[in-house]
Amino acid sequence: INALAFIFVCVYIRGMTPFKRLRKEVLKVTQKEVAKVTDTTQATVSRWESGDLFPDAKQLAAMRAKWGRKVNLNVLASTGDV
């Protein structure tokens, strides 16, 4: 399993994947907003949150460009927390 996949497959926190928790509790944005920033659909963002799909490097870079250090994938990977 690669490091990127690990981020999204790791522990669920309060019933949420780390990616969903990042979006809802840290970024406080909608799936639609994430989809716009990453040039994808709301359905795709939903699949990221469920762990069915993973954003690619370009999409992760777009999120980091928009929201900066709040998108800290190292923290997500190492602790399962944001």
Side-chain angles (χ1 to χ4, degrees):
I1 190 167
N2 67 37
L4 179 60
F6 174 76
I7 293 168
F8 298 100
V9 176
C10 63
V11 298
Y12 285 72
I13 300 168
R14 288 185 269 160
M16 287 189 257
T17 60
F19 187 85
K20 186 171 185 176
R21 185 162 184 242
L22 170 71
R23 180 187 63 80
K24 292 183 73 148
E25 296 182 4
V26 177
L27 302 178
K28 297 180 169 73
V29 296
T30 64
Q31 289 179 343
K32 186 175 181 179
E33 291 172 287
V34 173
K36 183 176 179 182
V37 167
T38 57
D39 194 31
T40 193
T41 65
Q42 183 177 348
T44 297
V45 174
S46 177
R47 292 180 75 192
W48 293 345
E49 291 181 356
S50 69
D52 292 338
L53 289 177
F54 308 108
D56 63 27
K58 181 180 173 186
Q59 292 162 325
L60 291 170
M63 286 187 279
R64 187 70 187 252
K66 173 73 175 177
W67 293 295
R69 292 192 168 265
K70 289 182 179 181
V71 182
N72 187 337
L73 300 177
N74 291 327
V75 171
L76 286 170
S78 64
T79 66
D81 203 350
V82 178

